[in-house]
Amino acid sequence: MDRLQQAIQKAREERENRQVPPQQAPEEFQVEPEESGVDAWAAVPEIKIKPRLISRNRLVSYGGGQAAGSYDMLRTKMLQQILSNGWRRVALTSPYSGCGKSTAAANLAFSLGRQADLKTIVIDLDLRRRGLADILQQTGEHSMADVLQGSVAFRDHGRRHGSNVIFGLNYAQTRNPAEILQSRRAIEILEEIEAEFKPDIILFDTPPLMVSDDSHGFLKNVDCALLLAAAEETSIDHIDVAERQLAELTQVMGIVLNKCRYISGAFGNDQGYY
């Protein structure tokens, strides 16, 4: 019996010695605690908005209050659908340029920024122009095309507003936006951004639908989209065609009529509410 117990003990020791310690992930894939979650947001350089731009560039939701009412209403309706459907990636697009989608994207960003428990990333994918960078009067050396091709890290390129909004802007035009937006590398980069920053919502300012094919290959990668049209400018036929095109690519969250001049009382008797 003693010899049997000794043999069992010897076999157990040999088995334990043969066990290989668990391997660590390669160093390049290890994320340090300070580079993920909330701390990743704090490390992004802060954006500075010049006060004179707020009225000049129609950033009406920047400070909240009565002027921000229409965008706050849009924000709330958008959030209701996002939460009900488990969506995260939301695209803003339009039939053609001039419908005010970039201004809407900026105002939605500031409106969402006042929701302290939400983390929002706003990415300008209209790579043929500066768009949001011009509206916010920001300058830099790179564009989102450089980020999507992996030559610049988003954490270095992005600009943070407050503690819970990050903008990804274009500081220069891109020659081949369609090829970049439809590449597998671009999608991988966006997934890496999501993994690092863990946003609740990502807003994409995407190219107009009826001008080029830039957004057609990309929109299949978003959860839903808002279609913006300009009041008294965008025809019903163009809205109809753009909506059908959009529905073939992703879920249509809704249609927003932008640049409305007559909105007083649109949501009821608001006299003296604020």
Side-chain angles (χ1 to χ4, degrees):
M1 181 65 68
D2 290 339
R3 288 198 299 271
L4 178 60
Q5 290 177 344
Q6 290 174 1
I8 293 173
Q9 180 63 27
K10 183 178 180 181
R12 183 181 295 119
E13 292 175 353
E14 291 177 351
R15 184 170 63 252
E16 291 175 351
N17 290 334
R18 287 197 302 268
Q19 289 181 347
V20 179
Q23 294 183 351
Q24 293 183 341
E27 184 177 351
E28 60 182 6
F29 293 107
Q30 293 180 14
V31 178
E32 298 297 331
E34 64 270 18
E35 295 180 355
S36 61
V38 176
D39 290 335
W41 288 72
V44 174
E46 192 165 7
I47 197 171
K48 297 185 184 300
I49 305 295
K50 298 176 182 178
R52 69 175 186 272
L53 293 178
I54 296 174
S55 60
R56 190 177 75 184
N57 289 357
R58 299 185 297 279
L59 302 177
V60 296
S61 71
Y62 183 83
Q66 185 174 6
S70 58
Y71 281 106
D72 289 349
M73 180 71 74
L74 177 59
R75 172 199 65 191
T76 300
K77 290 185 175 182
M78 185 176 72
L79 288 175
Q80 289 172 347
Q81 291 198 48
I82 288 173
L83 294 174
S84 297
N85 294 283
W87 293 336
R88 176 182 290 124
R89 298 179 176 184
V90 182
L92 273 67
T93 190
S94 57
Y96 42 77
S97 61
C99 293
K101 66 178 175 60
S102 294
T103 300
N107 279 296
L108 272 175
F110 294 130
S111 183
L112 287 164
R114 286 185 272 108
Q115 296 282 99
D117 56 342
L118 286 177
K119 299 287 187 182
T120 304
I121 292 179
V122 184
I123 296 179
D124 192 350
L125 293 185
D126 199 347
L127 303 179
R128 294 181 186 269
R129 61 194 192 99
R130 287 171 44 87
L132 280 171
D134 279 342
I135 292 171
L136 302 177
Q137 286 291 288
Q138 301 297 308
T139 58
E141 298 179 359
H142 303 285
S143 71
M144 277 305 301
D146 299 312
V147 175
L148 296 178
Q149 293 177 100
S151 58
V152 177
F154 183 74
R155 71 175 73 90
D156 299 324
H157 177 75
R159 290 296 179 267
R160 174 175 49 83
H161 170 69
S163 61
N164 60 341
V165 176
I166 294 178
F167 290 97
L169 306 175
N170 295 316
Y171 301 123
Q173 296 179 344
T174 303
R175 292 184 177 180
N176 56 336
E179 290 78 9
I180 293 173
L181 291 174
Q182 296 180 37
S183 69
R184 180 173 297 182
R185 181 60 172 153
I187 303 307
E188 291 173 350
I189 291 293
L190 291 175
E191 290 173 350
E192 291 172 5
I193 292 172
E194 286 185 331
E196 181 176 3
F197 291 91
K198 299 178 176 60
D200 298 295
I201 301 171
I202 302 184
L203 288 182
F204 297 101
D205 182 359
T206 62
L209 287 165
M210 300 170 66
V211 176
S212 68
D213 66 332
D214 292 359
S215 63
H216 286 247
F218 175 80
L219 285 171
K220 65 180 183 297
N221 299 297
V222 303
D223 298 314
C224 59
L226 280 171
L227 179 65
L228 279 86
E232 302 180 42
E233 297 177 22
T234 312
S235 69
I236 296 298
D237 289 341
H238 284 161
I239 294 174
D240 182 57
V241 171
E243 183 184 12
R244 283 189 278 111
Q245 289 181 349
L246 193 58
E248 294 174 356
L249 301 168
T250 187
Q251 295 286 334
V252 180
M253 179 184 284
I255 300 174
V256 177
L257 189 61
N258 205 10
K259 298 184 178 183
C260 294
R261 292 186 294 170
Y262 308 105
I263 60 172
S264 179
F267 301 109
N269 183 12
D270 56 4
Q271 295 297 323
Y273 182 77
Y274 284 91

